[in-house]
Amino acid sequence: MDDLIEDAQPGGNTPEFTVSEISGAVKRTLENTFGRVRVRGEVGRVFKARSGHLYFDIKDDRAVLASVTWRGQLSQLAQLPEEGMEVIATGRLTTFGSQSKYQLNVEELRPAGVGALMAMLEKRKKALEAEGLFATERKRALPFLPEVIGVVTSPSGAVIRDILHRLRDRFPRRVLVWPVAVQGKDCAPQVARAIEGFNALSAGGAVPRPDLLIVARGGGSIEDLWGFNEEIVARAAAASAIPLISAVGHETDTTLIDYVSDYRAPTPTAAAERAVPVRLDLLTWTDQQGARLVRAAGQAVSARRQRLGDVSRALPRPVTLTFAARQRLDWLDTRLPSALRAAAAAKRAKLTGAAAVLRPATLRTRVAADRERLDRLAARLDPALARNRRQAESRFQTTAARLTPRPVQRTIRDQARRLADTAARGGTATRATLRQRTERLAAVERLRLTLGYEATLQRGYAVVRDDNNRVLTDKAAAQKATGLDIQFRDGHLTIGAARPSKKPKDTPPEQGSLL
């Protein structure tokens, strides 16, 4: 009997669930139990997927909570998570059924107090310093007197008014203001874009490129100034080709942009004072230098005049310089007659000695010898001339055989073609020049007609002249005239006595004489 009754299997009355049903039940239980929560912990691993979603861990000393921020939620985060940063995350607990895990969908994220911010700031500072962005040798010198100054700040705060007022008092310069948010989540990207935008301007463009940049903001808490501690702002300031002055906060406030800028000013007003010199001080210095120059030039001239006087007193008188030469001239003058007589006697004696050698027989012998040599050379001349003539004829025949008219004809054809091309281009250029000159002459003629007083008469004006054909420009002169001639656009009208011998001519009136 007992064998006929089948025993029920253990747990046979327990309901069965699918995996999806279990996953959905856990998800609903977790979300309904916890809902929106706030979690405090340290950021662990951070990973940004190619889809744009951000995955990271929030951990303490005993547990790890997987967290995710979807791509559409990233713009709402006031601070992106960084590994090692202590944060307070706000979001909703949910599950990820595909991997049987739960996670926190983070909607808000902020550092857990000032200590966390300072720790993160110190970490960024060390990283940027290791890259050499704080090095002194990479900082550029500020221009002494910039023509255009670019200011990156809020357009509605007191900072821009202080900067403009200080620049106006010291040395007015042209200022370009790039409006940005100076706190909040939009601060860092707007400041970075402003620095890059000023650097992207081209010299000589419609908007002038600044010679100096000032990034300024008033004082505030570390949270208010945090936008200037963002890495994107520090790198934009370090990459700026334009010298940059940072003036963020008060003198005791320090941000990352202060380390990478070319000059840190304690206040925005101090930045304006460093940007330009005092114009009155420059004018005073220029006047002082001019006075020193005049005084130095006067002293130099006086010193040289004094030295010239001292040197001139040491020199002998000009008359005494010729005394020795005059005495030597007198001595030579007394010796000249006797020297001339002695020279003539010597020449005469030499001539007598030479004449004694020249005898007629000697001359006849030399003439006969020369005549005989000349006869021998004359006998050799005809055969030499004939031989030279034959050689010249042979060379001429050889050269004439090589000469043909073809190269000359080819050169003539090439020169004729080049001449024709040049003539054609010259004609085209002449016609173009003539057409341009004609158009310019017509334009000048139109301008003359437009600017002439006849065109003014066409608009309802008139020229008034007296009986002496003088143009009248005021009422008193018209009352004194015995007769008036009024020129309209279509003719003349005579009023009162008019002198026929002085009929008004259509001459252009002086300025101010058109009625």
Side-chain angles (χ1 to χ4, degrees):
M1 187 70 178
D2 294 334
D3 295 336
L4 296 177
I5 300 175
E6 183 179 359
D7 293 336
Q9 296 295 329
N13 60 347
T14 303
E16 295 180 352
F17 297 95
T18 65
V19 175
S20 299
E21 290 174 343
I22 289 293
S23 177
V26 172
K27 178 181 179 68
R28 287 190 298 271
T29 301
L30 185 63
E31 292 180 351
N32 292 335
T33 302
F34 290 95
R36 186 176 178 85
V37 297
R38 298 176 67 206
V39 179
R40 178 168 182 159
E42 180 183 338
V43 176
R45 177 188 60 89
V46 179
F47 171 72
K48 188 172 185 179
R50 287 184 295 178
S51 61
H53 308 318
L54 185 65
Y55 299 92
F56 56 97
D57 295 334
I58 300 178
K59 61 183 180 177
D60 56 16
D61 56 346
R62 291 183 296 177
V64 177
L65 174 62
S67 305
V68 61
T69 299
W70 309 122
R71 179 177 59 185
Q73 298 172 326
L74 286 177
S75 59
Q76 302 176 4
L77 297 183
Q79 177 66 48
L80 293 178
E82 297 182 12
E83 187 174 352
M85 181 172 62
E86 187 177 1
V87 297
I88 297 177
T90 303
R92 298 180 181 275
L93 275 176
T94 184
T95 62
F96 184 41
S98 300
Q99 295 184 2
S100 299
K101 61 182 292 187
Y102 67 94
Q103 61 188 9
L104 176 66
N105 178 212
V106 178
E107 300 173 352
E108 297 179 8
L109 186 72
R110 62 181 180 85
V114 177
L117 288 176
M118 295 305 296
M120 182 170 58
L121 176 60
E122 189 65 24
K123 180 180 178 181
R124 286 181 184 174
K125 180 180 175 182
K126 290 181 178 179
L128 295 178
E129 186 175 9
E131 295 182 21
L133 298 186
F134 300 168
T136 306
E137 54 270 14
R138 60 163 297 277
K139 296 182 181 296
R140 294 168 296 275
L142 303 182
F144 177 73
L145 184 60
E147 290 293 331
V148 181
I149 300 176
V151 180
V152 180
T153 188
S154 172
S156 58
V159 170
I160 186 61
R161 292 195 298 270
D162 293 341
I163 292 176
L164 294 177
H165 177 72
R166 202 58 177 166
L167 290 176
R168 186 166 52 250
D169 288 345
R170 291 174 66 85
F171 206 121
R173 296 281 87 185
R174 188 173 183 181
V175 177
L176 298 179
V177 180
W178 194 301
V180 296
V182 293
Q183 68 182 50
K185 63 180 181 179
D186 296 331
C187 173
Q190 289 186 11
V191 172
R193 284 197 300 268
I195 297 175
E196 295 168 355
F198 273 132
N199 280 269
L201 294 176
S202 58
V207 179
R209 190 171 189 263
D211 304 312
L212 179 67
L213 296 183
I214 298 177
V215 180
R217 187 207 187 280
S221 63
I222 186 174
E223 291 82 5
D224 296 337
L225 303 179
W226 190 253
F228 298 92
N229 286 319
E230 295 290 351
E231 185 175 350
I232 184 176
V233 174
R235 294 192 179 277
S240 174
I242 304 174
L244 186 143
I245 298 177
S246 64
V248 179
H250 296 304
E251 187 171 359
T252 56
D253 298 325
T254 303
T255 57
L256 282 182
I257 194 175
D258 295 331
Y259 294 101
V260 298
S261 62
D262 300 298
Y263 181 83
R264 177 188 178 266
T267 61
T269 303
E273 293 176 353
R274 180 62 183 85
V276 295
V278 180
R279 184 172 181 270
L280 294 179
D281 292 346
L282 290 179
L283 292 176
T284 303
W285 181 83
T286 304
D287 294 339
Q288 293 175 352
Q289 295 300 315
R292 291 181 59 188
L293 180 62
V294 172
R295 186 167 57 254
Q299 292 176 353
V301 171
S302 299
R304 283 165 174 76
R305 183 181 294 110
Q306 180 67 30
R307 180 169 179 78
L308 179 60
D310 296 341
V311 172
S312 63
R313 284 193 295 270
L315 293 175
R317 292 184 300 168
V319 178
T320 61
L321 297 176
T322 60
F323 282 167
R326 289 179 180 180
Q327 186 176 1
R328 187 167 59 254
L329 180 61
D330 293 339
W331 178 68
L332 293 175
D333 182 59
T334 58
R335 297 183 58 191
L336 181 60
S338 59
L340 290 176
R341 288 192 294 269
K347 296 295 183 181
R348 187 180 296 107
K350 187 176 181 181
L351 179 60
T352 302
V357 180
L358 296 176
R359 297 173 180 174
T362 304
L363 291 177
R364 282 193 296 270
T365 302
R366 294 189 62 179
V367 169
D370 291 341
R371 184 179 290 112
E372 182 180 357
R373 187 169 62 254
L374 181 61
D375 292 340
R376 288 196 304 270
L377 292 176
R380 295 171 56 188
L381 179 61
D382 291 339
L385 290 175
R387 186 170 56 255
N388 290 338
R389 181 175 57 79
R390 288 192 301 272
Q391 293 176 356
E393 288 179 353
S394 177
R395 288 195 301 270
F396 178 76
Q397 294 296 334
T398 303
T399 304
R402 293 199 302 267
L403 293 176
T404 61
R406 293 179 181 175
V408 178
Q409 293 173 353
R410 184 167 57 253
T411 302
I412 293 174
R413 287 195 301 272
D414 293 343
Q415 295 295 336
R417 185 165 54 254
R418 290 178 59 187
L419 180 60
D421 294 342
T422 303
R425 290 196 301 270
T428 302
T430 302
R431 288 191 295 273
T433 303
L434 182 59
R435 182 170 57 257
Q436 293 176 357
R437 298 293 174 81
T438 303
E439 293 175 355
R440 289 179 59 186
L441 181 59
V444 172
E445 178 62 18
R446 289 193 298 271
L447 181 61
R448 185 190 68 81
L449 294 177
T450 302
L451 299 179
Y453 81 100
E454 290 88 351
T456 307
L457 295 179
Q458 297 295 329
R459 299 200 298 270
Y461 291 86
V463 180
V464 180
R465 299 180 177 87
D466 61 6
D467 51 353
N468 292 323
N469 201 25
R470 291 194 301 266
V471 177
L472 304 180
T473 59
D474 51 35
K475 177 180 177 182
Q479 290 176 344
K480 294 178 180 179
T482 59
L484 299 177
D485 177 80
I486 303 176
Q487 180 184 354
F488 297 93
R489 65 180 181 83
D490 54 353
H492 295 264
L493 173 63
T494 301
I495 300 176
R499 299 181 183 179
S501 59
K502 296 185 177 181
K503 184 178 180 180
K505 299 179 181 179
D506 293 339
T507 56
E510 299 177 356
Q511 184 178 5
S513 62
L514 296 177
L515 299 179

